[in-house]
Amino acid sequence: MNRILSTILISLLCLCGAMAQPAAVKNVAKSVFALKAYDAEGKQIATSNGVFLSADGIAACPWSAVREASRVEVVDFNGKTYPVTHILGANELYDVCRVRVDMPKTVAATIATAAAAKDSKLWLVETADRRTQTTQYEVDKAETFMEKYAYYVFGYNNHKPTQGAAFVNEKGQVVGLMQQSERSLYSNAVDVRFISTLAASHLDINNSLYAKTSLRLTLPADKQNALLMVMLAAECQDTAKYAGYLSDYIRQFPKEVDGYATSALQKSTYGDWQGADADMQTALKLAADKAEAHSEYARVMYQKLIYSADTTFTAWTFERALAEAEKAYSLNPQPQYLHRMAQIKFSMGDYGDACEKFLSLAKKDMPTSEVYFEAAQCKTQLGAPKAEVLELLDSCVAVAPRPLTNLSAPYVLARGQLYEQMEEYRKAIVDYNTYDTLVYGRANAAFYYARHKCEVAVHQYKQALDDLAHAAYIGGADAPLYIAELASLQLRVNMNEEAVKTSDLCLQLTPDNTDAYIIKGLALVQLKRKNEAMECFNKAKELGDDRAEGYIKKYK
C-alpha cells in the first residue's frame, strides 16, 4: 500500500510540475525537432533532438549524432521532414554543432542572453513522434568556460532525457542543449550561446574533425575564399562531397565562370562529356564575363581533345574549340585568349600560325617560359635550324623564376636534349645535371642512359658507368638492355673482370642475350681465358648472332 501511495504521489508531483510550467515554455515546442542520422546503406545510426536558432533553418544539435552520417534529416513540429545539408561549425569536446537545414521557413527559438543561475528552474523540452514532452530540472551548478559561457550540471532526475533536447527558462528562452553523461546519472547542458558562435573557416575543410561526415561545410561569402575551399575539397578524395561543394559554389556564385568550368572539367574526368557541355552552355547563358565563358569552354574542349582517347563524343572538335577561343578574343582581346588560340592551332598542325602567335605573345604580353617553349616546339615541327630553336630555349630558361624549381625542369631538359643533338656534349651534360638536381635525382632510366652517352663522348667514363648502373637499377623491364650496355662500357675501359660479372648478371635475366655472350667472350679473351671465351662465342653463334663466327675465327 505504501509503494502504491508513493507512486501516485510522484506521478501527481510530476503532473503538477508539468502543469506548473510557464506558458512561454510551451511555445518552444515549435522550435525543437527530432533528428535522425543514417549510414551509406540507409541504416539509422543515431537519433537526437535539436533546436532551430534562426528562421532560415540554422539549428543546433549534438555533433555525435551527425559526425559519421551519410544522410541526416529532421522532423519539425508539424511532422514535416527536411534534410540537413551543411555544417556551419562543430566542437567535439562539448559535442555540439551548428547545422543548416534545407527548409523554407521555421519558428526560431529565442536564445537566453545570460546564463541561468544556480538553483534556478529550467524545463527540458523534448520531441518524438510529433509529441512534445516537458520536464522540470533544477540547476545544481553552472561552470564557466571561455570566460562567458556556462556548462550546466543538474541534480538527479529519474527521467531519461533525449540528447540535444532544449533547456528553457521561464521566459521561454533556450538556455542550453541537453547532454546525458555516460559516466554518471546526472544530466548536463552546454550553453546555447556558445553553440550559436560555432563557425568553421574555409581552411577547416582539411580538418579531420569534419572528415567522416558526408555533410559539407558552408562556403564563405567571399568568392576567393569560397573558390579556395572548393580547390581544397578536391584533395579530400571524396568525389561525392567534392561534387556537392562545386554545386554549392555555382548556386552561390551563378554569374562566375570558374564554377562551371571546374564542374565541367570534373565531369570530363569521368567521361561525362554531355554533362560537361551542359555546364559550359549554362556558363555562356548566365556568366557575367562572356569572354571568359567562351575561353573556358574552349579550354574544356581542348583538354578533352588532347588527353582523352574517347572517340564516341564527336560534338567537340578542334575547330569548335578554336571558334570559342576566337570569340573570347573578339569580345576582349586578352593575351591569355590569344594563347589559347595558339595552343589549339598547334594541336591542329598549323605550326606556322601558332608560332607567329606564340612569338607575338613572347615579345610583348606573355614573355614566359611556357610561351617560349611552345614557340620552340613550333620551330622544331617546321624544321627550322637548330640554332633558332636553341635561341628560343635559351630565352625559355632565362625568363624562368630564380632559383630554378622543378617547374622549370622540362625546359632545362629540352635544351639539354637539343645540345646533345647538336653534339655540344659538355653543354648538354650541364643541363642534364641541372635537370637531375631539379627533379631530386628521380629522373627515369632513359634520362640516365642519355646522359651516359654524352659523358662517354667527352671521356667522363666514371660518371657514365655510374649513370648506366643507375639506369639498370631503375630500368624495370628494360634493365637487361642497360646491364648489357654497362658490360660493354666496362669492356671498353678495360674493366674486364667487371665486364664478365655484369654479363653474367645480364644472362641471368635474359639467358638468350647474344650481346652479353659476345661481351663476356671478348672480356675473357683479354683475361687470357680463351677456352671460356670460345664457349661464349659458340653459344652466341647457336643463338643466331652473325658476329660470333668472326670472333671465333679471330681468336681461334
Side-chain angles (χ1 to χ4, degrees):
M1 180 63 71
N2 287 338
R3 274 201 300 271
I4 293 173
L5 290 174
S6 297
T7 302
I8 295 173
L9 180 60
I10 291 172
S11 299
L12 288 172
L13 287 172
C14 290
L15 178 62
C16 291
M19 293 176 64
Q21 64 180 303
V25 174
K26 297 179 182 179
N27 293 329
V28 179
K30 299 177 182 179
S31 303
V32 298
F33 57 80
L35 181 145
K36 300 176 182 179
Y38 304 88
D39 63 16
E41 284 73 41
K43 178 182 177 182
Q44 186 170 297
I45 57 174
T47 59
S48 73
N49 277 189
V51 61
F52 289 112
L53 303 176
S54 64
D56 60 353
I58 305 303
C61 66
W63 171 240
S64 57
V66 304
R67 66 185 172 197
E68 296 184 5
S70 291
R71 178 169 62 90
V72 182
E73 60 188 24
V74 303
V75 182
D76 72 357
F77 177 74
N78 297 313
K80 294 183 178 180
T81 301
Y82 300 98
V84 177
T85 57
H86 295 85
I87 299 170
L88 281 75
N91 184 280
E92 193 168 32
L93 177 63
Y94 290 100
D95 189 23
V96 287
C97 64
R98 198 162 62 99
V99 300
R100 182 185 299 279
V101 182
D102 186 10
M103 61 192 311
K105 191 176 182 181
T106 188
V107 178
T110 302
I111 297 175
T113 57
K118 184 181 183 302
D119 298 329
S120 61
K121 291 181 174 57
L122 298 179
W123 285 265
L124 182 66
V125 181
E126 304 167 271
T127 183
D129 300 323
R130 298 186 62 182
R131 290 197 296 268
T132 303
Q133 179 179 358
T134 305
T135 308
Q136 182 176 297
Y137 280 74
E138 188 172 294
V139 178
D140 188 46
K141 58 182 176 180
E143 301 172 348
T144 302
F145 67 96
M146 296 178 67
E147 299 182 353
K148 55 183 176 180
Y149 302 119
Y151 185 79
Y152 299 100
V153 179
F154 299 95
Y156 173 72
N157 191 313
N158 62 357
H159 171 68
K160 186 177 180 180
T162 304
Q163 290 283 79
F167 275 104
V168 183
N169 63 21
E170 60 184 5
K171 297 178 182 179
Q173 300 171 331
V174 176
V175 174
L177 241 58
M178 169 70 205
Q179 285 188 338
Q180 181 63 48
S181 173
E182 296 180 355
R183 295 185 298 272
S184 72
L185 297 175
Y186 296 96
S187 298
N188 309 308
V190 179
D191 199 325
V192 75
R193 294 177 301 163
F194 167 68
I195 304 173
S196 66
T197 66
L198 294 175
S201 79
H202 60 287
L203 299 178
D204 283 326
I205 193 167
N206 286 329
N207 190 326
S208 59
L209 176 67
Y210 302 108
K212 291 184 178 180
T213 180
S214 292
L215 297 180
R216 302 185 298 278
L217 294 176
T218 299
L219 294 179
D222 179 77
K223 186 189 77 170
Q224 295 303 322
N225 286 340
L227 185 59
L228 175 58
M229 191 171 177
V230 173
M231 292 170 62
L232 293 173
E235 302 173 5
C236 294
Q237 307 301 316
D238 188 330
T239 55
K241 215 170 183 179
Y242 176 51
Y245 279 116
L246 277 175
S247 296
D248 290 344
Y249 183 86
I250 292 172
R251 188 164 45 249
Q252 192 165 323
F253 304 100
K255 294 185 177 182
E256 298 296 332
V257 179
D258 42 21
Y260 300 105
T262 305
S263 178
L265 289 171
Q266 174 70 1
K267 289 175 181 176
S268 295
T269 302
Y270 299 100
D272 182 10
W273 315 116
Q274 294 283 3
D277 193 69
D279 279 339
M280 296 315 302
Q281 292 287 353
T282 304
L284 291 177
K285 293 176 184 177
L286 300 182
D289 190 339
K290 299 300 183 185
E292 184 69 8
H294 283 287
S295 179
E296 286 298 283
Y297 198 3
R299 180 169 76 101
V300 172
M301 288 188 199
Y302 178 70
Q303 295 273 23
K304 186 267 180 187
L305 295 166
I306 290 295
Y307 297 113
S308 172
D310 176 85
T311 58
T312 60
F313 186 72
T314 58
W316 289 354
T317 63
F318 282 116
E319 288 75 16
R320 274 197 67 193
L322 180 62
E324 291 296 331
E326 290 173 337
K327 180 65 175 178
Y329 193 71
S330 69
L331 292 172
N332 187 4
Q334 292 296 314
Q336 61 268 30
Y337 302 156
L338 183 61
H339 187 213
R340 184 87 63 223
M341 291 165 58
Q343 290 176 320
I344 296 170
K345 283 280 191 177
F346 180 89
S347 299
M348 295 173 71
D350 191 350
Y351 304 118
D353 192 16
C355 191
E356 288 181 14
K357 288 179 169 58
F358 286 132
L359 289 175
S360 68
L361 288 167
K363 290 175 183 177
K364 185 180 179 182
D365 298 310
M366 293 180 69
T368 64
S369 293
E370 180 185 9
V371 172
Y372 277 114
F373 182 69
E374 289 167 326
Q377 289 180 308
C378 288
K379 288 282 190 180
T380 300
Q381 292 295 332
L382 291 167
K386 288 183 172 57
E388 291 184 21
V389 180
L390 179 61
E391 183 180 355
L392 291 169
L393 290 178
D394 281 339
S395 298
C396 171
V397 175
V399 300
R402 281 346 190 230
L404 294 176
T405 68
N406 61 340
L407 296 177
S408 300
Y411 310 134
V412 176
L413 177 62
R415 191 174 67 175
Q417 290 170 332
L418 183 59
Y419 275 136
E420 182 180 356
Q421 294 172 23
M422 298 171 70
E423 299 183 359
E424 295 276 0
Y425 298 117
R426 293 190 184 278
K427 291 181 179 179
I429 290 171
V430 171
D431 274 350
Y432 283 157
N433 289 344
T434 301
Y435 173 81
D436 196 26
T437 300
L438 293 176
V439 298
Y440 310 106
R442 297 172 184 167
N444 59 27
F447 164 79
Y448 294 106
Y449 181 74
R451 187 169 68 175
H452 119 273
K453 290 194 296 182
C454 295
E455 291 162 340
V456 168
V458 296
H459 309 296
Q460 294 180 2
Y461 295 117
K462 183 181 184 307
Q463 294 89 329
L465 289 166
D466 289 341
D467 275 342
L468 272 179
H470 190 58
Y473 180 70
I474 64 174
D478 293 328
L481 299 176
Y482 299 127
I483 294 173
E485 288 283 352
L486 177 60
S488 178
L489 183 57
Q490 288 169 334
L491 175 65
R492 178 176 175 179
V493 297
N494 206 32
M495 296 173 61
N496 298 306
E497 291 283 2
E498 290 80 357
V500 170
K501 293 177 181 177
T502 304
S503 297
D504 284 338
L505 176 59
C506 185
L507 290 168
Q508 288 178 21
L509 298 173
T510 52
D512 295 337
N513 192 315
T514 58
D515 286 336
Y517 279 114
I518 295 292
I519 295 166
K520 181 180 179 182
L522 291 172
L524 287 168
V525 168
Q526 296 300 316
L527 293 169
K528 311 299 184 186
R529 293 157 60 181
K530 188 177 291 187
N531 291 338
E532 295 175 63
M534 288 301 167
E535 290 178 8
C536 291
F537 295 143
N538 283 321
K539 183 64 177 177
K541 181 179 178 180
E542 290 175 15
L543 293 169
D545 195 310
D546 295 336
R547 297 171 297 171
E549 183 64 32
Y551 289 124
I552 292 172
K553 290 179 180 179
K554 182 176 180 179
Y555 296 112
K556 189 173 180 180

